[in-house]
Amino acid sequence: MPPFSADDRDILAETSLFQDLPPEELAQLRASARPVHRPRGGYFFMQGDPLERMYLLVTGRIKITQLGPDGQQILLRALGPGSLFGVVVLTQAKECPVTAEALEDSTALSWTRADLMDCAQRCPTFALNALQVMAAHAQEFQERFRQLATERVERRLAHTLLRLASQAGRKLPEGVLIDLPLTRQELGEMAGTTQYTVSRLLTQWESQGLIYAGRERIIIRHPHGLVSLAEG
Amino acid sequence: MPPFSADDRDILAETSLFQDLPPEELAQLRASARPVHRPRGGYFFMQGDPLERMYLLVTGRIKITQLGPDGQQILLRALGPGSLFGVVVLTQAKECPVTAEALEDSTALSWTRADLMDCAQRCPTFALNALQVMAAHAQEFQERFRQLATERVERRLAHTLLRLASQAGRKLPEGVLIDLPLTRQELGEMAGTTQYTVSRLLTQWESQGLIYAGRERIIIRHPHGLVSLAEG
DNA sequence: TGCCATTATTGCGCTGGCGCAAAGCAAAAA
DNA sequence: TTTTTGCTTTGCGCCAGCGCAATAATGGCA
C-alpha cells in the first residue's frame, strides 16, 4: 500500500511550491516522493549534514534550529503538517545550515535534489514557485531581524506568539491554541530572550486574561490584546 | 552614446544572477537594461513604493534600509558597484519592503519585472540563478538573526565590520579600508545597537591598534584580531 | 497509586548597554 | 576666512532583562 495515499493528492496540491504545475510534472513528483518517518526527538537532518533532500511535513510537528559556533541554539521555525522544510536543497549549498527535529512522531514526504532540479529545469513554473518560497523566507527573516534589533522583549514575544498562532493556530471555544509543544526555553529561542523572561511575561499576560499558559501549551484568548502589545 | 557602454559587458558577465546564460538572453537583457542615476541622498526606491524594477549598481554606494511601524530604522545592507538590489521584484510582491538610498552619486542598470519574468520563463538557468541569490539572502539573514539573538554587542559589531570588509573592503598599505561612507549611527543600525555604543567600541579598538576609526571611514589594521573578538 | 523526569515559576542581585546632554571636530558652504 | 552643519566622543545615571538557585507544578509511566 502506498503510504499517505489518501492525502498525497491533497497535500501536494495545497502546497505553494507545487501550484500551477502541469499534471505530468505533478505526477512525476508524486512518483519520486519518498516517505520518511521520525519518532519524537528524531532528526530529519542535522546542521552540517550533506544536503540531500527536501521535505514536506505530512503529520506531526517539527522544529528548525540553528546552532552557533559556541553552542548557543536558536529556534528559527516550528512547523506543522503541510509545511516545507529543507528547501535550501534547491540551491548549490552543500551542507544543511540548520537542524530539523521532530517535536512529536512525524511523517514527511521527501525528494532528492536531483529530482527537484530536473523538475526546475523542465518547468519554469516550478522554479518560479521555488523563488517565491525563498523570497518569503528572506523577507520573514529580514522582518524578524528588524524586530529583534529595534523592539523590546515584550513586543517580540507578542509577535512570536501571534506568528505561531497564524501558522499553527487551532480555533478552540476558549481562544486560539498554538498547536505546537513548545517549552518556555524554545519560545525564548524564537523571540531572542531567555526562558525566565518568557515565563514572567506569560504569567503576567495570563493574569491579565490575555492568554492561557500551560505546560507546552498556550491558548490566546484575546488576540487583539496581544496585537496591541505587539504594535504598541 | 549608450551609457556605461565600456562596462556593460563586464558587469553583467560578473554578476552571479547572469551566469551561464545563453548569449541571446544576455543580449536581450543588455538591450532592455535602463540606466538610472541618483545623486547622494537620492532614492532608487522607497519602502511602500509599487515594486517595479531590479537594479544592478554600476558606480557609487547605496544602503538598503527598513523602517519599522514606529519609525525605527535599520540598515540591512550597504552595497558597492556590482551589487544587485531590488531582487524581490522577481516575486509577486507588490510593494518594496525596503528603501534604497544613494550614499554617494550612483548609477545603476535597471530592468522591469516583465523583462525579468519573461527571461525566467524562457530560461531555467536564469530562474535557478535567481533562486541562488534569494537563498543566499535568506541564509544571510538567518545567520544575522542568530547572531543578534545570541551574541553580545561587541561580537556583533566585530562581525559587522568583518562582513563589510569582505563585501566592500579595499586593500591599503595600512590595512583593509571599508569603502563605504557609514556613520556610527548607521553601523549601529546594522549591528543592532546605538551610535553611542558603536563609538565607544571603535574608540576602544582603535586604542588597541586593531582599527583606524575616522569620520565615516574605518580601516581594519588587524583583521585576525577582530576575528578573534567575533568568534570569542 | 506513587515515582520520576521535565518543565515552569519566582525571588534576588547584578550588569551590559541605553540614551540624554554637552562638548569637541571635521568637512562643506558661504 | 568664518560659518554652518553634521558627525563623533564621553561622562553619567539608570533600568530592562539576564541568569542563578531554589521551589513548585505537570504529565508520563510502572
Side-chain angles (χ1 to χ4, degrees):
Chain A
M1 189 178 89
F4 320 126
S5 56
D7 285 338
D8 267 21
R9 163 161 317 197
D10 296 322
I11 211 165
L12 288 214
E14 283 165 13
T15 301
S16 66
L17 181 61
F18 302 125
Q19 287 304 300
D20 305 317
L21 295 191
E24 64 273 18
E25 292 293 348
L26 212 50
Q28 172 95 11
L29 285 166
R30 280 211 182 82
S32 58
R34 186 170 87 181
V36 182
H37 174 264
R38 292 286 181 275
R40 172 172 223 231
Y43 297 100
F44 285 91
F45 48 79
M46 294 183 74
Q47 192 169 340
D49 284 354
L51 191 50
E52 287 170 346
R53 290 183 162 267
M54 184 190 80
Y55 299 81
L56 173 60
L57 191 58
V58 180
T59 64
R61 321 270 166 214
I62 65 152
K63 65 173 181 179
I64 305 290
T65 57
Q66 188 175 46
L67 223 62
D70 301 352
Q72 337 86 312
Q73 192 176 75
I74 58 159
L75 205 169
L76 292 166
R77 350 186 55 205
L79 304 173
S83 304
L84 285 174
F85 57 107
V87 190
V88 72
V89 81
L90 286 161
T91 71
Q92 272 136 24
K94 297 193 193 63
E95 292 192 352
C96 294
V98 295
T99 296
E101 178 185 342
L103 291 170
E104 29 181 88
D105 282 26
S106 299
T107 50
L109 293 171
S110 79
W111 292 265
T112 64
R113 166 180 276 165
D115 288 338
L116 296 167
M117 287 309 217
D118 286 354
C119 183
Q121 287 284 347
R122 285 191 308 265
C123 176
T125 303
F126 180 76
L128 287 173
N129 284 349
L131 196 55
Q132 307 289 322
V133 171
M134 277 297 179
H137 274 216
Q139 284 212 228
E140 180 186 327
F141 281 101
Q142 263 182 34
E143 181 72 20
R144 286 173 66 182
F145 179 83
R146 186 187 54 69
Q147 285 177 10
L148 198 51
T150 62
E151 294 176 0
R152 313 235 133 189
V153 169
E154 183 177 59
R155 279 190 171 202
R156 298 202 309 261
L157 185 61
H159 267 124
T160 303
L161 293 188
L162 290 170
R163 183 157 32 80
L164 287 170
S166 77
Q167 286 170 6
R170 183 139 62 91
K171 273 254 156 92
L172 296 185
E174 316 91 283
V176 182
L177 168 69
I178 292 177
D179 202 5
L180 293 164
L182 297 173
T183 65
R184 304 288 181 268
Q185 167 72 37
E186 287 168 326
L187 287 171
E189 286 174 16
M190 291 198 91
T193 183
T194 64
Q195 47 183 324
Y196 311 108
T197 299
V198 170
S199 176
R200 287 186 256 264
L201 284 170
L202 293 186
T203 302
Q204 181 189 325
W205 292 344
E206 182 164 41
S207 76
Q208 293 166 10
L210 282 175
I211 62 171
Y212 162 81
R215 186 191 172 98
E216 298 187 350
R217 184 181 162 83
I218 289 171
I219 295 173
I220 301 179
R221 289 175 133 127
H222 294 294
H224 63 277
L226 269 194
V227 169
S228 67
L229 273 177
E231 307 300 341
Chain B
M1 190 179 90
F4 321 126
S5 56
D7 284 338
D8 267 20
R9 163 159 316 198
D10 295 322
I11 210 164
L12 287 215
E14 283 165 13
T15 301
S16 66
L17 182 62
F18 301 124
Q19 288 302 302
D20 304 318
L21 295 191
E24 65 272 18
E25 291 292 347
L26 213 50
Q28 172 96 10
L29 285 166
R30 280 212 182 82
S32 58
R34 187 170 87 180
V36 182
H37 174 266
R38 291 287 181 273
R40 170 169 223 223
Y43 297 99
F44 284 92
F45 49 78
M46 294 183 74
Q47 191 169 339
D49 283 355
L51 192 49
E52 287 170 347
R53 292 184 161 265
M54 184 191 80
Y55 299 82
L56 173 60
L57 192 58
V58 180
T59 64
R61 321 271 167 214
I62 65 150
K63 64 173 181 178
I64 305 290
T65 58
Q66 188 175 46
L67 222 62
D70 301 352
Q72 336 88 314
Q73 192 175 75
I74 58 158
L75 204 168
L76 293 167
R77 352 186 53 205
L79 305 173
S83 304
L84 285 173
F85 56 106
V87 190
V88 72
V89 82
L90 286 161
T91 71
Q92 271 137 23
K94 297 192 195 66
E95 292 192 350
C96 295
V98 295
T99 296
E101 178 185 342
L103 292 169
E104 28 182 87
D105 280 28
S106 299
T107 51
L109 292 172
S110 79
W111 292 265
T112 64
R113 166 179 276 166
D115 288 337
L116 297 166
M117 286 311 216
D118 286 354
C119 182
Q121 288 283 348
R122 284 191 307 264
C123 175
T125 303
F126 180 76
L128 287 173
N129 284 349
L131 195 55
Q132 306 291 322
V133 171
M134 276 295 179
H137 273 214
Q139 285 213 229
E140 179 186 329
F141 281 102
Q142 262 183 35
E143 180 73 19
R144 287 174 64 182
F145 179 81
R146 186 187 53 68
Q147 286 177 9
L148 198 51
T150 62
E151 294 176 358
R152 312 233 140 199
V153 169
E154 184 178 57
R155 279 190 169 200
R156 299 202 308 261
L157 185 60
H159 268 123
T160 303
L161 293 188
L162 290 169
R163 183 158 30 82
L164 287 170
S166 78
Q167 286 170 5
R170 183 139 61 91
K171 273 255 155 87
L172 295 185
E174 317 91 282
V176 182
L177 168 69
I178 292 178
D179 203 5
L180 293 163
L182 296 173
T183 65
R184 304 288 180 267
Q185 166 73 34
E186 288 168 325
L187 288 171
E189 286 174 15
M190 290 198 93
T193 183
T194 62
Q195 49 182 325
Y196 311 109
T197 300
V198 170
S199 177
R200 287 185 257 263
L201 284 171
L202 294 186
T203 302
Q204 181 189 326
W205 292 345
E206 181 164 43
S207 76
Q208 293 167 9
L210 281 175
I211 63 171
Y212 163 81
R215 185 192 172 95
E216 298 187 352
R217 183 182 163 85
I218 289 172
I219 297 174
I220 301 178
R221 288 175 134 128
H222 294 295
H224 63 278
L226 269 194
V227 169
S228 67
L229 273 176
E231 306 300 339

